[in-house]
Amino acid sequence: GVRDVMFLYEENRCSMTYMYEYPEYLKIKLPKKTARRYPAYELYLYGEGNYAEENKNLLLTGIPVLFLPGNAGSYKQVRSLGSIALRKAEDVDFKYHFNFFSVNFNEELVALYGGSLQRQTKFVHECIKVILKLYRDREFAPSSVAIVGHSMGGLVARALLTLKNFKPELINLLITQATPHVAPVMPLDKYLTDFYTAVNNHWILKAQDLRNLTTLSVAGGFRDYQVRSGLAFLPRLSQHDSALSVVSSAVPRAWASTDHLSIVWCKELILATIRAFFDLIDENTRQITEDPKKRMSVLNHHFVRHPAKMFEENPEAFTNLTGTFMWITVKGSKWTYSVYNDSDGKYFSFPLENHRKSYSHVYCENSMLDTSSWIYGCMNTNSSMCLEAADLSWRAELLPTTKVVMLKLVDYPSLSHIVIQVPPAVGNKYTLGCEFFKEDSRTVQLPVTHLFSFGLSSSKILLNSTGLLYNVQLLHFNQIYQAFKIYIDSHCQSLRERKPSVYRLHIPWSYEDSITVAKVPSHAEISARLHIAQPPNDSSLPELNIYSSPDCQYEVILKTSLLQVLGQIVRFHAGAFPVYIVSNILLTYGGQLSTLRATGQCSDFSLELVRTAKPYKVEPLISIVVFLQGFNWFREIWESLSLPEVDAAVLSSQDAWFPLVSLILFLFGTGIAYWSGIFFSASLRLFSSLWLILIRPTVLQQDKLITPRRLCGMISLALVSWTTCGAFAVLIIYLQYLFKPVYIFVTSAFHFQDSGLSKETSQNSSTHTVKAQSSVDSIPEATQSPSNSKTLAEAVNSLKMHITILNLFTWIVLLSLPSLIYWLKNLRYNIRLDPDPCRSTAVILICILEILMNSSTSEVKSSKLLKIAAKVPLPLSVAMLAFGRMHLYRVPHFVTFSLLLHVLCCFV
């Protein structure tokens, strides 16, 4: 599954954008108060060559666009947009042009640490005010700024509207690129999840206030494994007329999936964006239009359905068909025409009167991909010629190799003829085709194979193509955990040259279509997966549109792809892996305490994991709670207890939960936990071997739990946590703890060797240590003195317990690392991380681990609290899986509570 997500995606079909002159970034001077409050942030203006020189005095006359980089993003990523916009402005002799500004967020890791998101949002507000001041007293001064946000930059742009003193009219257009709008990819701290909740709640509750803001979200598709496209779809709002979400594979003239970084430089996408920007300009104000309807129609034109014509706000309803073209009447239901070096223009007229009785639709295609009109509707009832006609070219749709029109005859009762215009084509070669058909004859239903068929069975249909179009409806394909391979074999009767076939997988409830172009004859393979599950109130069916060649046979075979099903699990739930791994380790930890209480011996980590980490101990309870939350009475009781919502229920409401996924993730967590235990043991032996070579260990002895020296160390680390960064203090105590099992291992082995319990000697002390450890548990009691035997057994028990605690603690360190990295990057601006998601947890952990570091199982065995401490990890594991999947920052709290009970066992 990981391999499918990370490596098995379509090849990169994006072209690189290039600058024709050297890019320059002019730093904009900010007010002193702003610069002092945000010392790490900066604002730049993009320029090239002469344009950059002209703008150095900041006498700007263009249209302001602000680019916001994302997680660890650079302000220099604006260059693709800025450069292509500059070239486009040169094409129109600078009648209109755009000034592209960019914010430097110091490449902060805001996707992993949410503490700076609010600060970034406030800084962007200040930048907008500074930008608009630069245009003051200009003839066509702007009153608003358009924003392009990449990744988390798009979320920061949306968050502007949550600021109390922000005026919504300061932004009229927002374009986001691969922005996770729905939820964070990795919810590693509370500030991140709270920020998301505030932004999304505001956009839902204040939906009416946002009607003047037009928002476009572009997702990267399956190549973007960092942000899955389902997260990039804007939350479903009541006002669909002001928000649009598309996947780049469905964007006309791009038709390419992009990875998380290439979405900012993909030439095909950038061209669509810049064309849209220029079409959005109001000729009167020379700024982006204030009309929300026009903004949405422009975005739909460039990002949803392109009719292969230049955008016109109000296209003329009727056109005069003039010229000395020859008129030819076509009475048949099928017609194809090839043009090559044709010097005479022609009009082909198709009378509709007879066709209306036999057929429901007319379909036409044209391989000449220019932007001129080519298909018209006439209302003459008598004459075969028509001087005035309705331009039906606006009903067309552009595909990679052709432009197509499909009309339902019932919708055009007043039309008497369809007219196809074929202009003179000197030096050009292209083909046209039209056909009338009944919808039923071209629609075929194909049931998809069952999820558990594992690709062993298949669904198959054979299309003996006599037409130009077939629609294959995929029955029961509506869930995100479904994934299929579709194989299309095309065979033709003759070997003449044909136009390529176009296969489009059309998902009717979201703009996530994917298009494949294949030669004829050929063998094509298409992956069918969903970014978003079918909404409950939607009954439409996904379709495979086959734009075919006549006289060719198409065989369509559909199979379940187990590899891609696993890929979907990883794509949608990889963020929850740490929760399942820690849950397994916590269950093992509880099992070890139970064994210690029952037998007086601590079992080995790997053996205990196999014995205690069972999914049936945790999963059924969560499933029961999720089921009961469907009832109002249970939900009321749950809310009265002030309990948070179960994460599985939230995922179900987002259509991101599916059967058996939790079991698969749990088993995956068991596997990772098992191998992490093996890794720890191997690492321990390696370090111990090195230690034994360098230092002669002391004799085993029992330390006091708390000494003045350790108390001072505890207080010092707590101060470090409080005054600098909690994750930094956690890392220090972790490294300190790391030496404890190594020390026990070495001293045990050395003590065992010195007591004459091992007859075997070796010149290589490293090898000797490994052999000594492997035989610690198998030493016959009779060969050891009672005191030595007891001391050694206690050391081995303590060693096993410390390894498990260290395993748990490793995941706490890993989950706190992002805030540590953020703190280190910003150390030159502020020595104290504020806000710090780990501070309070770090102080508690320091106290716990400073005591546990010097504890042994002999103190715990006799404790009155051991029974409770051994039973608590099970409910904590259940709670962790219930409330930690979408809130990873809660995981350390559950582990800390369990370790706190262990500390109490040392005293009580």
Side-chain angles (χ1 to χ4, degrees):
V2 173
R3 178 170 167 265
D4 176 67
V5 172
M6 303 286 284
F7 305 107
L8 300 182
Y9 41 69
E10 68 177 71
E11 63 180 0
N12 184 17
R13 298 210 294 259
C14 283
S15 306
M16 176 61 79
T17 46
Y18 293 99
M19 285 79 248
Y20 291 94
E21 296 173 281
Y22 195 79
E24 294 184 39
Y25 305 90
L26 178 65
K27 188 175 177 181
I28 306 295
K29 190 176 180 182
L30 299 170
K32 288 182 180 178
K33 186 179 176 183
T34 305
R36 197 165 52 247
R37 190 181 297 170
Y38 310 101
Y41 301 158
E42 297 166 322
L43 176 64
Y44 288 89
L45 172 65
Y46 177 81
E48 290 178 23
N50 293 332
Y51 170 76
E53 286 295 321
E54 290 167 7
N55 285 336
K56 282 189 176 173
N57 56 9
L58 292 179
L59 299 173
L60 306 177
T61 56
I63 302 165
V65 180
L66 179 60
F67 176 78
L68 305 180
N71 178 55
S74 168
Y75 65 95
K76 293 181 179 180
Q77 289 173 313
V78 73
R79 60 183 175 268
S80 295
L81 283 163
S83 183
I84 288 182
L86 184 58
R87 301 282 87 79
K88 179 85 172 169
E90 287 174 352
D91 290 345
V92 295
D93 295 325
F94 281 92
K95 181 183 178 183
Y96 311 115
H97 71 279
F98 288 85
N99 302 128
F100 275 85
F101 296 84
S102 184
V103 172
N104 178 16
F105 284 135
N106 193 31
E107 300 185 9
E108 290 180 337
L109 296 169
V110 283
L112 304 176
Y113 168 74
S116 62
L117 283 166
Q118 196 66 28
R119 189 159 54 244
Q120 286 191 0
T121 307
K122 290 176 180 176
F123 179 72
V124 171
H125 184 200
E126 297 301 320
C127 287
I128 291 172
K129 291 191 277 189
V130 168
I131 289 167
L132 292 176
K133 277 182 185 176
L134 295 174
Y135 294 87
R136 193 184 289 168
D137 303 326
R138 301 287 186 271
E139 185 182 355
F140 297 102
S143 58
S144 62
V145 174
I147 294 181
V148 178
H150 172 239
S151 188
M152 294 298 286
L155 189 74
V156 168
R158 286 180 63 215
L160 285 166
L161 296 149
T162 64
L163 298 177
K164 288 181 181 178
N165 56 347
F166 184 79
K167 298 174 182 176
E169 57 269 21
L170 291 179
I171 319 174
N172 58 11
L173 177 68
L174 169 60
I175 297 176
T176 67
Q177 302 169 324
T179 297
H181 291 293
V182 177
V185 176
M186 292 290 282
L188 290 168
D189 66 59
K190 195 172 188 299
Y191 308 113
L192 193 57
T193 53
D194 287 353
F195 189 81
Y196 264 91
T197 304
V199 172
N200 285 331
N201 285 348
H202 182 88
W203 275 60
I204 290 167
L205 295 172
K206 305 282 184 180
Q208 294 301 318
D209 300 343
L210 304 176
R211 295 185 79 87
N212 290 326
L213 171 62
T214 304
T215 311
L216 169 69
S217 174
V218 183
F222 289 108
R223 275 187 66 86
D224 188 350
Y225 55 79
Q226 293 183 46
V227 176
R228 64 176 176 87
S229 296
L231 291 177
F233 277 66
L234 288 157
R236 294 188 186 109
L237 307 175
S238 55
Q239 83 291 4
H240 290 289
D241 55 343
S242 66
L244 182 64
S245 300
V246 298
V247 179
S248 61
S249 60
V251 174
R253 302 171 85 172
W255 298 299
S257 177
T258 63
D259 62 54
H260 197 62
L261 290 178
S262 69
I263 200 167
V264 299
W265 56 254
C266 179
K267 186 178 178 181
E268 289 77 8
L269 264 184
I270 300 298
L271 282 170
T273 307
I274 297 303
R275 288 179 190 127
F277 270 130
F278 275 86
D279 284 340
L280 284 165
I281 297 171
D282 186 326
E283 290 188 6
N284 298 320
T285 63
R286 299 208 171 185
Q287 295 294 324
I288 288 177
T289 179
E290 295 295 322
D291 182 3
K293 288 185 178 178
K294 181 183 175 181
R295 291 199 296 260
M296 279 308 293
S297 62
V298 169
L299 294 180
N300 274 295
H301 178 95
H302 289 284
F303 288 91
V304 177
R305 186 188 178 96
H306 198 295
K309 286 180 67 67
M310 305 294 281
F311 176 79
E312 291 179 32
E313 187 176 358
N314 296 304
E316 292 184 10
F318 294 96
T319 306
N320 292 322
L321 301 181
T322 56
T324 57
F325 286 14
M326 185 190 302
W327 283 83
I328 302 169
T329 302
V330 181
K331 293 186 177 179
S333 62
K334 291 176 188 174
W335 168 81
T336 55
Y337 186 73
S338 294
V339 184
Y340 183 61
N341 274 343
D342 202 340
S343 57
D344 299 322
K346 296 181 180 68
Y347 285 121
F348 290 91
S349 173
F350 299 81
L352 298 180
E353 187 178 358
N354 294 328
H355 292 314
R356 287 184 187 276
K357 298 172 186 175
S358 308
Y359 306 108
S360 63
H361 289 73
V362 59
Y363 167 84
C364 294
E365 61 183 23
N366 183 353
S367 65
M368 171 67 95
L369 301 181
D370 61 353
T371 56
S372 55
S373 295
W374 60 286
I375 182 167
Y376 304 91
C378 283
M379 286 175 257
N380 292 359
T381 52
N382 302 321
S383 172
S384 60
M385 290 178 60
C386 131
L387 299 177
E388 192 177 63
D391 190 351
L392 299 177
S393 305
W394 292 103
R395 303 281 185 273
E397 182 175 11
L398 183 65
L399 294 173
T401 60
T402 184
K403 47 189 179 185
V404 302
V405 177
M406 188 160 73
L407 304 173
K408 193 174 182 179
L409 295 178
V410 179
D411 294 341
Y412 300 89
S414 59
L415 295 186
S416 62
H417 294 73
I418 297 287
V419 176
I420 302 288
Q421 179 182 359
V422 180
V426 179
N428 288 327
K429 183 178 181 181
Y430 61 98
T431 59
L432 300 100
C434 280
E435 64 171 336
F436 293 84
F437 61 87
K438 277 189 174 178
E439 188 178 17
D440 296 345
S441 66
R442 297 300 166 83
T443 304
V444 185
Q445 292 190 332
L446 181 68
V448 298
T449 49
H450 195 272
L451 178 68
F452 296 110
S453 65
F454 301 120
L456 299 174
S457 62
S458 62
S459 290
K460 186 188 297 186
I461 52 163
L462 195 64
L463 305 172
N464 288 313
S465 174
T466 53
L468 302 171
L469 172 70
Y470 275 94
N471 295 322
V472 180
Q473 294 181 337
L474 304 176
L475 299 178
H476 317 301
F477 178 33
N478 50 22
Q479 298 296 333
I480 51 140
Y481 55 81
Q482 294 174 297
F484 307 98
K485 284 281 188 186
I486 301 175
Y487 304 96
I488 305 175
D489 282 319
S490 54
H491 307 282
C492 303
Q493 293 172 2
S494 60
L495 296 174
R496 63 183 174 84
E497 186 184 351
R498 290 176 172 80
K499 66 179 180 65
S501 289
V502 177
Y503 310 129
R504 175 168 67 177
L505 183 65
H506 174 59
I507 310 300
W509 55 82
S510 65
Y511 299 117
E512 55 175 283
D513 294 5
S514 59
I515 290 180
T516 305
V517 180
K519 293 179 181 178
V520 180
S522 69
H523 175 82
E525 183 182 301
I526 299 170
S527 293
R529 293 164 292 180
L530 296 175
H531 295 294
I532 288 187
Q534 187 173 26
N537 55 352
D538 195 309
S539 59
S540 54
L541 295 171
E543 287 184 340
L544 176 65
N545 305 135
I546 299 177
Y547 299 91
S548 55
S549 293
D551 78 359
C552 290
Q553 191 180 72
Y554 292 82
E555 185 181 39
V556 181
I557 301 170
L558 181 143
K559 291 182 178 181
T560 296
S561 172
L562 178 62
L563 184 69
Q564 292 186 347
V565 169
L566 293 173
Q568 288 291 82
I569 292 172
V570 172
R571 183 173 286 108
F572 279 80
H573 299 287
F577 282 165
V579 184
Y580 285 92
I581 296 164
V582 176
S583 175
N584 273 278
I585 300 170
L586 200 57
L587 285 171
T588 307
Y589 170 68
Q592 283 182 318
L593 290 177
S594 296
T595 310
L596 184 67
R597 177 172 168 270
T599 64
Q601 300 294 319
C602 184
S603 55
D604 185 69
F605 176 83
S606 302
L607 296 173
E608 197 60 49
L609 178 73
V610 172
R611 191 179 72 82
T612 55
K614 304 293 183 187
Y616 59 76
K617 292 183 178 180
V618 291
E619 291 301 333
L621 188 60
I622 297 169
S623 300
I624 291 166
V625 171
V626 171
F627 173 74
L628 289 173
Q629 282 198 329
F631 299 98
N632 288 330
W633 61 268
F634 184 82
R635 217 164 32 243
E636 286 170 8
I637 295 169
W638 191 268
E639 287 168 4
S640 67
L641 295 171
S642 301
L643 290 169
E645 196 170 2
V646 176
D647 288 349
V650 179
L651 289 166
S652 295
S653 67
Q654 294 175 359
D655 301 316
W657 198 243
F658 41 92
L660 298 179
V661 66
S662 197
L663 175 64
I664 294 167
L665 293 173
F666 190 93
L667 295 175
F668 185 87
T670 308
I672 296 294
Y674 180 84
W675 288 106
S676 67
I678 299 290
F679 172 77
F680 264 97
S681 299
S683 303
L684 188 63
R685 293 181 181 216
L686 178 65
F687 286 125
S688 304
S689 303
L690 294 172
W691 187 318
L692 206 56
I693 292 169
L694 300 171
I695 304 165
R696 182 181 175 85
T698 56
V699 179
L700 269 172
Q701 57 181 15
Q702 182 63 44
D703 293 337
K704 288 183 180 179
L705 287 174
I706 300 176
T707 62
R709 186 180 172 184
R710 283 172 194 147
L711 200 58
C712 287
M714 202 184 295
I715 294 166
S716 301
L717 280 174
L719 284 172
V720 167
S721 170
W722 206 256
T723 56
T724 57
C725 171
F728 180 54
V730 167
L731 183 64
I732 293 171
I733 193 77
Y734 174 74
L735 294 173
Q736 195 178 334
Y737 199 145
L738 209 55
F739 283 101
K740 183 65 181 179
V742 176
Y743 169 75
I744 296 173
F745 192 105
V746 172
T747 48
S748 301
F750 190 79
H751 184 64
F752 169 58
Q753 177 187 342
D754 258 12
S755 303
L757 299 174
S758 174
K759 305 285 188 210
E760 238 178 281
T761 56
S762 173
Q763 300 250 330
N764 188 328
S765 58
S766 165
T767 311
H768 188 89
T769 309
V770 176
K771 289 181 178 177
Q773 164 60 16
S774 63
S775 58
V776 160
D777 288 322
S778 58
I779 298 162
E781 290 283 335
T783 63
Q784 304 176 41
S785 66
S787 60
N788 282 346
S789 173
K790 189 176 180 182
T791 307
L792 201 56
E794 286 301 333
V796 171
N797 285 335
S798 299
L799 179 66
K800 290 173 180 176
M801 188 56 71
H802 283 303
I803 288 174
T804 305
I805 293 170
L806 200 57
N807 212 337
L808 276 172
F809 193 31
T810 300
W811 283 97
I812 295 179
V813 172
L814 288 173
L815 291 172
S816 64
L817 269 183
S819 60
L820 174 64
I821 296 166
Y822 179 89
W823 173 72
L824 289 170
K825 279 192 74 174
N826 290 272
L827 201 52
R828 67 180 186 270
Y829 302 109
N830 203 335
I831 197 166
R832 188 174 194 258
L833 181 64
D834 190 36
D836 187 348
C838 303
R839 186 167 290 134
S840 52
T841 311
V843 173
I844 298 167
L845 277 170
I846 287 162
C847 300
I848 289 171
L849 293 165
E850 197 70 60
I851 295 168
L852 283 182
M853 201 183 300
N854 303 292
S855 68
S856 71
T857 51
S858 58
E859 295 143 347
V860 178
K861 266 193 282 192
S862 56
S863 173
K864 295 174 184 177
L865 290 175
L866 184 57
K867 185 179 179 180
I868 297 170
K871 289 186 180 296
V872 161
L874 176 58
L876 285 179
S877 291
V878 175
M880 194 186 295
L881 292 182
F883 305 115
R885 285 187 185 111
M886 297 177 67
H887 305 83
L888 291 179
Y889 60 87
R890 291 174 179 167
V891 171
H893 303 158
F894 295 113
V895 175
T896 303
F897 183 76
S898 194
L899 295 178
L900 182 61
L901 286 175
H902 192 139
V903 168
L904 293 174
C905 286
C906 296
F907 295 102
V908 181

